[in-house]
Amino acid sequence: MIPPQEASARRREIEDKLKQEEETLSFIRDSLEKSDQLTRNMVSILSSFESRLMKLENSIIPVHKQTENLQRLQENVEKTLSCLDHVISYYHVASDTEKIIREGPTGRLEEYLGSMAKIQKAVEYFQDNSPDSPELNKVKLLFERGKESLESEFRSLMTRHSKVVSPVLILDLISGEDELEVQEEVPLEHLPEGVLQDAIRISRWLVEYGRNQDFMNVYYQIRSSQLDRSIKGLKEHFRKSSSSSGVPYSPAIPSKRKDTPTKKPIKRPGTIRKAQNLLKQYSQHGLDGKKGGSNLIPLEGHLPRPLRGSPPGPWINHCLCLCGPYLTSPRAGFQVKHLSEALNDKPGLLAGRDDMLDVETDAYIHCVSAFVKLAQSEYQLLTDIIPEHHQKKTFDSLIQDALDGLMLEGENIVSAARKAIIRHDYSAVLTVFPILRHLKQTKPEFDQVLQGTAASTKNKLPGLITSMETTGAKALEDFADNIKNDPDKEYNMPKDGTVHELTSNAILFLQQLLDFQETAGAMLASQETSSSATSYSSEFSKRLLSTYICKVLGNLQLNLLSKSKVYEDPALSAIFLHNNYNYILKSLEKSELIQLVAVTQKTAERSYREHIEQQIQTYQRSWLKVTEYVSEKNLPVFQPGVKLRDKERQIIKERFKGFNDGLEELCKIQKAWAIPDTEQRDKIRQAQKNIVKESYGAFLHRYGNVPFTKNPDKYIKYRVGQVGDMIDRLFDTSA
């Protein structure tokens, strides 16, 4: 049970809390009343604001709509005015641009093209909006006139500034490929830069807006003419330069190059050049007129003559014909002196005639190279000016004249070669070889340049190459047959037994093939149909050429054997064959012909040496009729101190007389014979001298002191040494 004091305190505490809670509740009631009042006031204010805002909106919206309509009307008016100005401007285009169009685009291309753009827009406007307007006809006429002026300006630019490329620059362009040192590329400016840019702008405008392709015809006609004239100018430069200095090169323009290039001498085909060198060699070593006076081998000691009918004309042929067969005759001194004067006092005459053979060939070869380089340069220029889809066709037309000129000249060379074959003039055919070799070497560049051209254009060079190969092969075969069947036996035979013209001609011709082994082999291979010709072209061609050379040498040997029978004296026949065989062998060894022959004929060198030795033995048998008089056969046997019988004395007398007469006769006859090779001449003399001196010495020792006659000087006319001296003077017309 709670004590009374605690209960009373607890009651008072509860009463106090209750009183506080009542006060708080009263405060909350007052606050709520105030809040409600404020809320009612705010609602009243907002209602009033909403009412006013609605009134304002109802007043502004109509004004805004009216303003927007006014702005739209203003924009429409401005656009209408602008369109009117634009339309009106088209009506003024003709008058504004007529003066510019009339004066032309020269010197004012930018302004002119701007005027043409205005005229074009006016034409388009009137066509779309007023096709019946007279203004349309006016601007159309003005546009056509402007287009014609641009075409005329294009033609004028190309005509005035397209210059022929000088031969000096072309030669620099060509020779730059062959120089080992890297040099600055030779500039080739067809058109000045400003002119080029004007031509490009005009061509693009004509294609895009003028709808005109006639200017392309103008372009290729003008550039084609310049290309053709450039190549012809180079050819003419060769002719003029060769006639004056013999070297068709000129120094490069210093301003175009860092250094003036050093020109290489032109490589000649060599046929007449080698003959000329042989003439000069003989004139330097054999001017005393004595046969065997020099130490030259047959190639130098004997003067080969060129193929009949070969250039450079009658003068050199006259010299060759004079000196060839008579250099070892009694008149040789006069003939060689005459030749020496011609060579030393008038070298220009011989050189001029010599160049006549080579200049045309050199000019054609250089013109082919020039065409390739100039055509490449023309294509680069064309790609800047002509639209891409017209470039190939225009380029094809552009190069036709120059290409046709080259092909025609090549066909003329082939035609001349064919005529030369009919005349059996094979030296003229040799001009085909360097040209054909150059065409084959240049063909890859040709093919690259002619990419995209018509098939007929691409096939021109291969057709010319085939024609030259066929003609060359025909010439080679005919030459071999001509060597075999040469009918000239009596009237052209050397009386001294020296090297025949046919031999020197054949060897000289074969030596020329050394410079064109691949070309000549390809000619022969082109006539073959076997599969090996294509499978093993290089080796096959080399073997064909070797076989051909062996065939020519075989035909030559057969012909020489036939010709040797013309001589009534077997000894002279042997000397003739010896000289020719020795000349052939030394010629083969001196050049690379022996290596070519060895490809298919390993024993050729040994065979010729055997033939030479066989002819020496045949010649030596001619002395048997002399030495048989002093042989021991049928000589009388006697005892020393025993008087000879009349019959025995007569036999000894006959032997001495027969030896003397035979020795004198042979020495007189054989002194006029010729052995140009010093080594062979000394060898044959020495061998014969040993045989005769040995036989005569033994005979003289045995019977020289025998009293077979009262007048021994009548029969013993020569001592052994004198006999040797007489034999040493064999093959020497000056002795």
Side-chain angles (χ1 to χ4, degrees):
M1 183 170 182
I2 301 173
Q5 293 90 353
E6 290 181 3
S8 177
R10 180 77 178 263
R11 187 173 61 218
R12 284 193 304 270
E13 181 179 355
I14 292 171
E15 288 176 352
D16 289 338
K17 285 183 179 181
L18 179 62
K19 186 178 180 179
Q20 289 178 355
E21 290 296 332
E22 287 176 350
E23 290 177 355
T24 300
L25 179 62
S26 175
F27 176 76
I28 290 173
R29 286 192 183 104
D30 291 339
S31 295
L32 286 175
E33 288 178 359
K34 290 179 180 180
S35 177
D36 289 339
Q37 184 62 37
L38 289 175
T39 299
R40 285 192 297 270
N41 292 338
M42 180 60 66
V43 170
S44 175
I45 293 171
L46 289 176
S47 298
S48 176
F49 181 77
E50 181 180 6
S51 174
R52 292 180 181 183
L53 187 60
M54 289 180 65
K55 290 180 181 180
L56 180 61
E57 182 178 353
N58 293 332
S59 300
I60 290 177
I61 285 178
V63 175
H64 173 71
K65 288 182 179 180
Q66 185 177 5
T67 302
E68 187 178 28
N69 291 334
L70 290 175
Q71 288 177 343
R72 189 179 299 110
L73 290 174
Q74 183 180 2
E75 289 177 359
N76 290 338
V77 169
E78 290 177 352
K79 288 181 179 179
T80 302
L81 292 175
S82 176
C83 289
L84 287 173
D85 291 339
H86 181 68
V87 170
I88 293 172
S89 68
Y90 288 130
Y91 286 87
H92 294 290
V93 165
S95 59
D96 292 343
T97 60
E98 185 176 7
K99 181 180 178 182
I100 297 175
I101 300 303
R102 183 175 64 252
E103 292 176 352
T106 304
R108 53 194 298 181
L109 182 61
E110 187 72 28
E111 182 183 3
Y112 192 90
L113 291 178
S115 297
M116 289 298 295
K118 293 179 181 179
I119 296 172
Q120 183 183 7
K121 290 180 180 179
V123 171
E124 293 173 354
Y125 170 80
F126 288 120
Q127 284 178 339
D128 293 339
N129 299 280
S130 183
D132 298 329
S133 172
E135 293 295 331
L136 176 60
N137 295 330
K138 186 181 295 186
V139 291
K140 271 188 175 182
L141 290 175
L142 197 59
F143 183 82
E144 291 299 324
R145 186 190 305 172
K147 184 171 69 172
E148 291 174 0
S149 296
L150 284 173
E151 293 171 359
S152 177
E153 178 68 8
F154 183 84
R155 179 189 295 272
S156 176
L157 288 175
M158 298 305 301
T159 303
R160 285 188 287 112
H161 298 281
S162 291
K163 305 297 183 183
V164 174
V165 183
S166 69
V168 173
L169 191 55
I170 295 176
L171 289 173
D172 280 342
L173 194 66
I174 298 172
S175 62
E177 295 181 334
D178 301 327
E179 296 176 1
L180 296 179
E181 297 181 359
V182 178
Q183 293 188 351
E184 181 182 350
E185 184 179 354
V186 180
L188 190 59
E189 185 182 76
H190 292 290
L191 297 172
E193 182 61 28
V195 174
L196 175 61
Q197 294 304 320
D198 286 350
I200 292 173
R201 293 200 63 185
I202 293 175
S203 69
R204 289 179 179 174
W205 189 94
L206 289 174
V207 171
E208 185 175 358
Y209 303 109
R211 306 292 190 268
N212 190 346
Q213 300 179 6
D214 292 342
F215 77 96
M216 300 180 196
N217 297 332
V218 172
Y219 176 85
Y220 90 72
Q221 289 169 1
I222 295 175
R223 295 308 306 172
S224 175
S225 175
Q226 300 304 323
L227 175 61
D228 191 39
R229 289 169 59 192
S230 298
I231 294 176
K232 289 179 178 177
L234 176 63
K235 184 177 180 181
E236 187 64 25
H237 178 74
F238 265 81
R239 291 175 177 171
K240 291 181 179 179
S241 300
S242 62
S243 62
S244 59
S245 63
V247 181
Y249 284 108
S250 301
I253 302 173
S255 61
K256 299 290 186 180
R257 301 288 297 272
K258 290 183 178 179
D259 300 309
T260 300
T262 302
K263 297 299 178 185
K264 298 181 181 179
I266 297 176
K267 188 174 182 181
R268 307 289 191 184
T271 308
I272 303 304
R273 185 62 53 86
K274 289 188 178 181
Q276 175 189 355
N277 292 337
L278 291 170
L279 284 170
K280 290 182 178 179
Q281 290 170 3
Y282 196 94
S283 69
Q284 294 169 0
H285 298 285
L287 297 179
D288 56 340
K290 295 182 180 180
K291 215 170 22 173
S294 70
N295 295 322
L296 303 177
I297 64 171
L299 274 173
E300 298 164 331
H302 170 71
L303 180 63
R305 282 167 288 171
L307 306 178
R308 282 164 290 174
S310 64
W315 189 88
I316 189 172
N317 282 331
H318 174 66
C319 292
L320 292 169
C321 292
L322 279 175
C323 301
Y326 301 124
L327 283 173
T328 55
S329 71
R331 298 181 58 197
F334 168 76
Q335 301 292 357
V336 175
K337 181 180 179 182
H338 176 75
L339 177 61
S340 174
E341 293 174 353
L343 287 170
N344 297 324
D345 299 337
K346 299 179 180 179
L349 178 61
L350 183 60
R353 293 289 186 178
D354 179 26
D355 286 339
M356 287 176 62
L357 176 68
D358 299 334
V359 167
E360 293 298 327
T361 299
D362 291 330
Y364 186 74
I365 287 174
H366 281 78
C367 285
V368 170
S369 296
F371 172 81
V372 173
K373 290 298 178 184
L374 292 177
Q376 290 174 342
S377 182
E378 286 290 346
Y379 188 75
Q380 292 175 357
L381 176 66
L382 179 142
T383 55
D384 291 332
I385 299 176
I386 304 300
E388 183 177 359
H389 53 288
H390 294 285
Q391 289 173 1
K392 295 296 184 180
K393 182 179 179 181
T394 305
F395 180 70
D396 195 346
S397 301
L398 188 154
I399 62 174
Q400 283 304 315
D401 287 347
L403 181 59
D404 287 343
L406 285 177
M407 295 302 106
L408 178 60
E409 190 171 351
E411 289 296 340
N412 289 339
I413 292 173
V414 173
S415 178
R418 289 171 181 160
K419 293 177 181 178
I421 295 173
I422 297 175
R423 299 191 308 268
H424 302 297
D425 175 13
Y426 299 101
S427 65
V429 178
L430 289 173
T431 59
V432 172
F433 284 72
I435 294 175
L436 178 58
R437 179 175 64 183
H438 186 71
L439 290 180
K440 285 189 170 183
Q441 291 173 346
T442 314
K443 187 176 181 299
E445 288 184 89
F446 244 101
D447 294 341
Q448 184 177 4
V449 169
L450 300 181
Q451 280 184 355
T453 58
S456 58
T457 302
K458 294 178 182 177
N459 293 333
K460 287 180 179 180
L461 180 64
L464 179 59
I465 290 176
T466 301
S467 180
M468 285 191 172
E469 282 187 334
T470 303
T471 302
K474 173 67 174 173
L476 292 176
E477 292 301 324
D478 281 11
F479 178 78
D481 294 339
N482 188 63
I483 291 295
K484 180 178 180 180
N485 302 318
D486 180 58
D488 193 1
K489 294 183 179 179
E490 298 183 14
Y491 301 105
N492 201 32
M493 291 297 290
K495 296 179 180 180
D496 52 7
T498 189
V499 180
H500 195 276
E501 177 185 4
L502 182 68
T503 303
S504 60
N505 288 344
I507 295 300
L508 190 59
F509 184 85
L510 293 179
Q511 285 175 338
Q512 309 317 303
L513 299 184
L514 289 176
D515 294 332
F516 310 102
Q517 295 184 38
E518 293 183 5
T519 304
M523 284 180 176
L524 297 170
S526 67
Q527 306 304 306
E528 297 291 326
T529 57
S530 61
S531 59
S532 59
T534 56
S535 300
Y536 309 96
S537 56
S538 178
E539 184 63 26
F540 182 77
S541 298
K542 187 174 183 180
R543 291 187 65 83
L544 278 180
L545 183 59
S546 175
T547 302
Y548 172 77
I549 293 174
C550 291
K551 177 182 178 180
V552 172
L553 294 176
N555 291 348
L556 177 61
Q557 185 173 343
L558 291 174
N559 201 318
L560 291 173
L561 285 172
S562 176
K563 290 181 184 298
S564 67
K565 296 176 182 178
V566 171
Y567 296 111
E568 296 179 358
D569 191 336
L572 181 56
S573 177
I575 290 297
F576 171 76
L577 290 176
H578 165 273
N579 284 333
N580 282 272
Y581 291 156
N582 186 62
Y583 179 83
I584 294 171
L585 178 60
K586 289 296 180 67
S587 300
L588 294 178
E589 292 175 336
K590 189 178 180 70
S591 63
E592 298 177 7
L593 282 173
I594 193 66
Q595 286 85 356
L596 264 179
V597 170
V599 172
T600 54
Q601 191 63 262
K602 304 293 184 183
T603 61
E605 185 176 358
R606 184 180 67 187
S607 177
Y608 273 111
R609 295 192 186 281
E610 291 175 354
H611 289 321
I612 292 170
E613 190 60 35
Q614 181 182 355
Q615 299 309 318
I616 293 176
Q617 294 173 6
T618 302
Y619 162 75
Q620 289 175 343
R621 285 197 288 271
S622 68
W623 283 84
L624 291 178
K625 61 182 179 181
V626 176
T627 57
E628 68 181 0
Y629 285 107
V630 293
S631 65
E632 295 183 359
K633 184 178 180 182
N634 297 325
L635 283 175
V637 179
F638 63 92
Q639 297 296 328
V642 178
K643 184 178 181 180
L644 294 175
R645 291 176 295 180
D646 291 341
K647 182 179 180 181
E648 293 173 339
R649 287 197 298 271
Q650 186 62 33
I651 292 175
I652 295 175
K653 289 179 183 180
E654 290 176 355
R655 291 297 182 94
F656 270 107
K657 186 177 185 303
F659 175 80
N660 293 335
D661 292 344
L663 176 65
E664 291 170 356
E665 181 185 2
L666 283 185
C667 287
K668 180 181 179 181
I669 294 174
Q670 296 184 8
K671 182 175 65 174
W673 296 355
I675 300 180
D677 188 346
T678 303
E679 181 182 349
Q680 288 291 317
R681 182 168 63 242
D682 293 342
K683 174 184 175 182
I684 292 175
R685 283 174 177 171
Q686 188 62 41
Q688 199 59 53
K689 186 167 60 173
N690 293 340
I691 294 173
V692 176
K693 285 176 65 176
E694 181 181 355
S695 300
Y696 181 66
F699 183 82
L700 188 61
H701 177 73
R702 185 170 184 178
Y703 296 103
N705 296 321
V706 173
F708 64 91
T709 179
K710 294 179 180 180
N711 188 12
D713 291 339
K714 179 180 178 181
Y715 297 97
I716 308 177
K717 295 174 64 175
Y718 304 105
R719 297 300 175 189
V720 175
Q722 291 177 308
V723 172
D725 292 341
M726 293 175 68
I727 296 176
D728 279 336
R729 290 192 291 272
L730 295 178
F731 318 114
D732 189 354
T733 60
S734 64

